[in-house]
Amino acid sequence: MFVQEQQEIEVRIRAYCAEQGIPLNEIKWSALPFSGEWGISTSFFAAAAAEARSGKSVNVPQRAQEIAEQAAGLIRNVAGIARVEAIKGYLNLYFETPIYARRVVDAVLEQGRDYGRGAPKGERVMVEYAQPNTHHSFHIGHARNVVLGEALARLVEFAGFETIRASYPGDLGLGVITVLWAYNKFYKGQEPQGVHERGQWLLKIYVEATALLEPKENETPEEKAQREAYEAERREMYRKWDAGDPEVRALWQMTREWSLEELRDILRLLDVKIDVWFFESEVDEPAKQIVEELIARGIADDERPSGGAVIVKIDEKLGLTKEKYRTNVILRADGTTLYLTKDLALAKIKFEKFGVDRSIYVVDVRQSLHFQQAFAILRLMGFPQAEKCYHLGYGFVSLPEGAMSARRGRVVLFKDVIDDAVRRALAVESAKAPDLDEEQRRQVALQVGLGALVYSMLAVDNNRDMVFDVDQALSFDGRTGPYIQNAHVRANSILRKAGQIPQQAAFTHELTAHEVTLIDLLARFPETVQQAAGEYRPLVMANYAYDLANAFHSFYHSVPVLQSESESTRAARLRLVAAARQTLANALALLGITAPEVM
Ligand code: ARG
């Protein structure tokens, strides 16, 4: 908040040190916790130690204190700085409390929705997420992926990166073929009406087919023969798909579209706008070319002449003596590519065609080794961006009753959960806010139901497994989305009652501890954005949003606003409430959660 003053002070300190030949490197400031006033502090130990290293005989702590004292002497008449002290080698600056408080609040209100936005970093990031396999229905585990990916994309974008959102659905492989086979055999020509009905039906077909193709216990010879016949039909289906049989390809296209329609509908609901769609099937050809390139460049070994595959001995090529990335097949003996090969081709497209500097993959943590291997090969290929590839893994989502299993049809469909969430939110709204009209109530219920669901997924560290408990996720108290949304609504209702927000206010009244905490949190929002984006951790922002809501609720319960002691206190507090409302909205927006006006 005192950037300009800070810079001015730094210039003075630097000039002084240069003149005295003091080897000063970076001047790092850290915030001093509020103790009646706000302040910042920096230490001169590093400078003193550098002097000692350069051969001067100095007592480091003593020398640090000396420099701090001299620096303190340089800082006179800086507007907004109340006092300066040099203690134990540290220089502490204290701000005039009313000026500091006012600047924080003014900054939030002036910048509004842009409060906290970082300066452009001149780097392009691609975030790849929302890439479930097709021919399946969208379950709650997929939702964790989308929710995390979207929050991350919003964070890096707001932090200052140019951001591209990408998806990469898996649209080929045995699972897909299994559905095509069963559809063709048992349901040919049928088509349920409704986007979600169709998507869910594909899952049902998949489950049925899997059961038919799996060996049973105590199988009779007739059952065995039947199963093997099915198996042969499925193999034939695969062969035809591979050969590009027009009928099979058309069936594939049609059913794939059913899945994608469902996916697009869910993304719309979650306010996710994917910029680029890649498909696994579309990188198969480029993947074959990569194999040739890697052989030609000596990165891959072609063992086909001796009946083997094409492999990359990653550890050996990187000169590692210990096993780390192992040896990987990139082309099978039968000439087919692998998941890994396709990822190499995809990365190349991302780097070369989309000019991506940083590439983030939001994918199940169980694929961790796969990505480490892919990134290692990209390094071998000489892509500088390989250093800036990052796999944001996330843990397994299970249910209170145990693991989900798509093969067994034991999944919790996202659509069912969200419908349930909205129903519950609607019931709460009808009781709590009976004066809302029907349409408004529906809209709020959707915002709150979604808020609950989204927050429940962001409030868990991405690396940890989570048990998805609908009741808990949709509870509206404690560490939940609705609790945070409710802080926004309360702030809004105070401001509505006030009629308008005063144009300005000097914070000259005695600040309560609640106000201090709020101002502290508001001031910290921009750095929290940078931290969450820099560490690729939406959880950092999820925690911040909760802390801010919590601080606001406490303030709301203990500090009068409309009934403040004086007109000037009332004005200051109204502006503080407005700034809190804005920052809550900004934080929620970064998580992909709407901030309702009423609820
Ligand atoms: N479709 C894959 C799956 O559901 C995830 C794709 C991950 N992205 C990638 N570039 N490999 O497991």
Side-chain angles (χ1 to χ4, degrees), residues 152-299:
L152 186 69
R154 290 181 185 214
L155 280 165
V156 292
E157 189 164 50
F158 200 67
F161 290 101
E162 189 193 334
T163 304
I164 306 177
R165 291 161 168 80
S167 168
Y168 176 57
D171 58 344
L172 42 71
L174 193 60
V176 172
I177 298 297
T178 303
V179 174
L180 297 186
W181 162 74
Y183 175 83
N184 217 27
K185 182 154 184 84
F186 304 110
Y187 300 103
K188 200 173 182 155
Q190 295 183 32
E191 179 179 342
Q193 289 311 304
V195 169
H196 292 278
E197 287 71 9
R198 272 199 296 261
Q200 293 170 14
W201 192 50
L202 290 174
L203 177 62
K204 191 179 125 272
I205 296 178
Y206 176 71
V207 173
E208 278 174 20
T210 311
L212 291 175
L213 291 159
E214 248 175 27
K216 285 170 220 30
E217 274 176 59
N218 310 319
E219 209 170 39
T220 64
E222 294 79 48
E223 281 170 341
K224 181 159 187 270
Q226 176 65 268
R227 179 170 56 78
E228 284 170 355
Y230 287 159
E231 186 61 62
E233 288 172 17
R234 176 168 69 168
R235 262 201 308 278
E236 175 60 9
M237 180 62 95
Y238 214 150
R239 194 197 59 74
K240 281 186 170 166
W241 185 88
D242 250 342
D245 177 285
E247 216 173 294
V248 171
R249 286 286 174 142
L251 173 64
W252 172 66
Q253 287 283 0
M254 176 182 79
T255 45
R256 183 178 95 148
E257 199 48 32
W258 293 351
S259 290
L260 294 176
E261 272 170 16
E262 186 186 30
L263 176 60
R264 285 192 293 261
D265 192 62
I266 287 168
L267 295 182
R268 201 175 312 125
L269 189 66
L270 291 169
D271 195 22
V272 172
K273 298 180 190 76
I274 296 294
D275 303 306
V276 190
W277 290 87
F278 300 111
F279 290 97
E280 259 188 67
S281 58
E282 285 170 5
V283 285
D284 195 39
E285 274 315 304
K288 288 180 181 156
Q289 288 160 24
I290 290 259
V291 173
E292 292 312 316
E293 182 190 331
L294 292 182
I295 296 171
R297 294 176 55 189
I299 298 170

Side-chain angles (χ1 to χ4, degrees), residues 294-361:
L294 292 182
I295 296 171
R297 294 176 55 189
I299 298 170
D301 295 313
D302 189 355
E303 301 188 336
R304 282 175 295 185
S306 52
V310 179
I311 59 174
V312 181
K313 296 176 180 163
I314 307 179
D315 294 327
E316 191 188 298
K317 302 284 172 189
L318 281 172
L320 302 177
T321 42
K322 272 204 250 126
E323 179 181 274
K324 185 164 182 194
Y325 302 107
R326 306 181 195 166
T327 290
N328 280 271
V329 175
I330 55 167
L331 193 74
R332 295 189 190 91
D334 66 4
T336 53
T337 68
L338 291 94
Y339 184 51
L340 178 66
T341 330
K342 295 189 195 75
D343 256 319
L344 298 176
L346 178 66
K348 188 175 151 89
I349 296 171
K350 289 179 178 179
F351 299 153
E352 292 180 348
K353 185 155 167 234
F354 291 87
V356 167
D357 303 302
R358 256 171 221 260
S359 191
I360 307 174
Y361 299 76

Side-chain angles (χ1 to χ4, degrees), residues 128 131-133 168-170 280 339 343 346 350 361-363 367 370-371:
E128 187 215 291
Q131 67 290 61
N133 294 333
Y168 176 57
E280 259 188 67
Y339 184 51
D343 256 319
L346 178 66
K350 289 179 178 179
Y361 299 76
V362 182
V363 185
Q367 296 192 23
H370 163 80
F371 284 107

